[in-house]
């Protein structure tokens, strides 16, 4: 039980930190890849805090995202709104 809860959360936290690192270093394609993965995983494990952090980070680097990243971001955010998983 403990492992099933902690491992996905730790993995998600690690990938979020990687996304932040790469985005701050100007490696946008890698950073957005990790960020969108964390956004998707936070929906899967129902972690509102990660979801909101990802939204903030994406909006901070929004101007550097390509069309595909924007599209994936909008899809994931609308999925969170559609299922009312998070209240932001």
């Amino acid at each position: 039980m403990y492992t099933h809860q902690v491992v996905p959360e730790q993995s998600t936290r690690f990938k979020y930190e990687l996304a932040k690192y790469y985005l701050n270093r100007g490696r946008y394609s890698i950073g957005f890849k990790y960020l969108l993965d964390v956004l998707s995983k936070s929906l899967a494990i129902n972690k509102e805090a990660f979801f909101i952090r990802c939204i903030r980070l994406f909006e901070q680097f929004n101007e550097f995202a390509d069309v595909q990243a924007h599209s994936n971001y909008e899809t994931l955010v609308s999925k969170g709104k559609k299922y009312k998983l998070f209240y932001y």
Side-chain angles (χ1 to χ4, degrees), residues 15-36 52-71 73-74:
K15 288 180 181 180
Y16 174 79
E17 292 299 326
L18 279 175
K20 201 162 75 169
Y21 172 81
Y22 283 118
L23 290 171
N24 283 317
R25 298 294 182 267
R27 307 276 313 268
Y28 302 116
S29 63
I30 298 169
F32 284 117
K33 177 182 160 272
Y34 281 116
L35 183 62
L36 293 170
I52 292 171
R53 283 183 191 171
C54 290
I55 289 173
R56 287 184 191 147
L57 189 59
F58 190 93
E59 294 301 324
Q60 182 181 349
F61 290 94
N62 187 21
E63 65 188 80
F64 303 108
D66 62 9
V67 174
Q68 185 64 40
H70 275 286
S71 174
Y73 171 76
E74 292 298 327

